């Protein structure tokens, strides 16, 4: 296959775009997709301060580098989850990446906060991935608001968004379907959230990271075995292989024709959001789930230590 732009030998084939690109032209394709996402969805401007969530994986590091190259004012935020034999490796990749590319970085340590994820796994009787995700979203929002950032950017790609939309649809979860999309405006104690990679697949982001020489943390989370999102991604991978373009059609179709209906329904039946009486974070109950989880883990951990 020849490169669709310069006609040299292509190294990346993209059936969903009916195109292929050489090593020099593929990063330009990637850049154009990110530019289009930011412009069409009005995500942010060059004058605004953007906090970028950095896990150490290909998506978040590729996003951070691309936004810097496009001239945006970006600062990275890495959450050290406190998982033994795992978290330090991800943190090292992020710190090395930011140092190499002269990028500002903040690190939030869950252990110092009193809630490392290893304790969540041991003392919370719920799927650890769900609780970990809730805690990370809480911390992203907290750090972004306290730091006065205009928006929080995450590296969610098209595969992530399709898997999430599919899961929410299977449950007909009105609340999540009402606010799923590449932009969630700031409101009621929540900072604006944006996903500039939503037009790009996991495969495309991986190729960008490789061609840009980004060293990523690729070890799977030791606690993620059996996560439903992985199964959903595999299912959609098969559909995409048989019918290239299905993922984007499904996601874009929801944004164009489905989201507004769920947003209107949630406005009628959704719960009111108020500040948590303990930490001030937005919640639909008096005391938010984060404060309740922290107290529950501390109590169970103390009891376990006393019983030894």
């Amino acid at each position: 296959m020849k490169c669709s732009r310069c006609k040299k030998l292509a190294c990346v084939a993209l059936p969903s775009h009916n195109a292929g690109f050489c090593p020099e032209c593929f990063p330009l394709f990637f850049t154009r997709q990110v530019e289009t996402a930011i412009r069409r969805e009005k995500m942010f401007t060059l004058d605004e301060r953007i906090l970028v969530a950095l896990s150490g994986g290909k998506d978040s590091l590729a996003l951070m580098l691309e936004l810097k190259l496009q001239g945006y004012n970006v600062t990275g935020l890495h959450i050290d989850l406190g998982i033994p034999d795992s978290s330090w490796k991800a943190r090292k990749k992020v710190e090395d990446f930011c140092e190499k590319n002269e990028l500002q970085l903040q690190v939030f340590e869950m252990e110092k906060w009193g809630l490392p994820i290893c304790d969540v796994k041991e003392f919370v009787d719920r799927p650890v991935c769900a609780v970990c995700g809730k805690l990370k979203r809480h911390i992203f929002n907290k750090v972004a608001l306290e730091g006065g950032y205009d928006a929080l950017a995450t590296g969610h790609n098209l595969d992530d968004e399709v898997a999430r939309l599919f899961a929410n649809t299977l449950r007909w979860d009105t609340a999540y379907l009402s606010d799923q999309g590449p932009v969630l405006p700031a409101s009621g104690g929540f900072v604006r959230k944006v996903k500039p990679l939503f037009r790009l697949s996991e495969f495309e982001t991986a190729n960008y990271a490789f061609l840009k020489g980004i060293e990523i943390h690729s070890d799977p989370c030791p606690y993620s075995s059996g996560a439903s999102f992985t199964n959903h991604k595999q299912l959609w991978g098969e559909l995409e292989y048989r019918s290239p373009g299905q993922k984007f059609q499904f996601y874009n179709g929801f944004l164009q024709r489905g989201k507004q209906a769920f947003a209107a329904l949630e406005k009628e039946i959704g719960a009111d959001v108020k500040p948590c009486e303990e930490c001030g974070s937005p919640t639909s109950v008096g005391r938010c789930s984060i404060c309740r989880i922290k107290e529950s883990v501390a109590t169970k951990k103390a009891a376990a230590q006393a019983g030894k």
Side-chain angles (χ1 to χ4, degrees), residues 46-231:
L46 290 166
D47 298 325
E48 294 184 304
R49 295 173 65 231
I50 314 302
L51 185 67
V52 182
L54 300 178
S55 66
K58 61 186 184 311
D59 303 300
S60 61
L61 299 187
L63 172 62
M64 184 75 169
L65 179 61
E66 182 57 34
L67 292 182
K68 181 207 173 189
L69 293 175
Q70 291 191 22
Y72 289 102
N73 183 353
V74 289
T75 296
L77 169 62
H78 175 70
I79 299 178
D80 185 328
L81 298 174
I83 300 174
D85 301 323
S86 175
S87 293
W88 72 268
K89 298 177 184 175
R91 178 172 175 168
K92 181 74 166 51
K93 288 290 185 185
V94 171
E95 290 177 336
D96 289 349
F97 168 82
C98 289
E99 183 179 357
K100 177 182 176 182
N101 293 285
E102 299 180 337
L103 291 159
Q104 297 183 69
L105 173 66
Q106 286 183 242
V107 176
F108 186 96
E109 298 182 14
M110 295 285 283
E111 188 156 12
K112 285 185 178 178
W113 193 49
L115 199 57
I117 296 302
C118 55
D119 283 356
V120 172
K121 179 174 174 55
E122 184 172 355
F123 298 112
V124 177
D125 189 24
R126 292 171 54 191
V128 66
C129 290
V131 180
C132 182
K134 181 185 287 289
L135 292 169
K136 287 193 289 187
R137 290 191 294 275
H138 172 84
I139 293 166
F140 290 151
N141 193 63
K142 168 186 166 67
V143 174
L145 289 176
E146 291 178 351
Y149 291 93
D150 296 292
L152 169 71
T154 60
H156 291 99
N157 58 45
L158 180 61
D159 296 68
D160 297 324
E161 288 296 278
V162 167
R164 180 168 288 104
L165 175 57
F166 185 59
N168 291 336
T169 304
L170 287 176
R171 298 193 306 273
W172 293 115
D173 192 322
T174 306
Y176 282 114
L177 287 167
S178 69
D179 63 14
Q180 177 159 3
V183 178
L184 193 58
S187 68
F190 291 105
V191 71
R192 186 193 328 155
K193 298 182 182 69
V194 296
K195 301 170 184 175
L197 301 185
F198 83 96
R199 297 176 59 87
L200 291 150
S201 70
E202 194 168 304
F203 173 76
E204 290 160 355
T205 308
N207 274 281
Y208 178 85
F210 175 77
L211 292 171
K212 286 290 188 181
I214 298 174
E215 293 189 23
I216 64 171
H217 176 66
S218 57
D219 295 353
C221 175
Y223 299 160
S224 67
S225 177
S228 58
F229 265 28
T230 303
N231 298 329

Side-chain angles (χ1 to χ4, degrees), residues 141 175 178-179 187-190 266-267 269-277 280-288:
N141 193 63
S178 69
D179 63 14
S187 68
F190 291 105
E266 184 62 15
K267 195 172 181 179
I269 65 173
D272 293 333
V273 175
K274 298 178 180 178
C276 168
E277 58 192 30
S281 294
T283 180
S284 58
V285 293
R287 193 159 171 254
C288 76

Side-chain angles (χ1 to χ4, degrees), residues 15-17 158 239-241 243-251:
S16 60
H17 294 271
L158 180 61
L239 285 172
E240 182 73 13
Y241 176 75
S243 302
Q246 285 290 297
K247 290 178 187 174
F248 190 77
Q249 287 179 27
F250 176 62
Y251 186 69

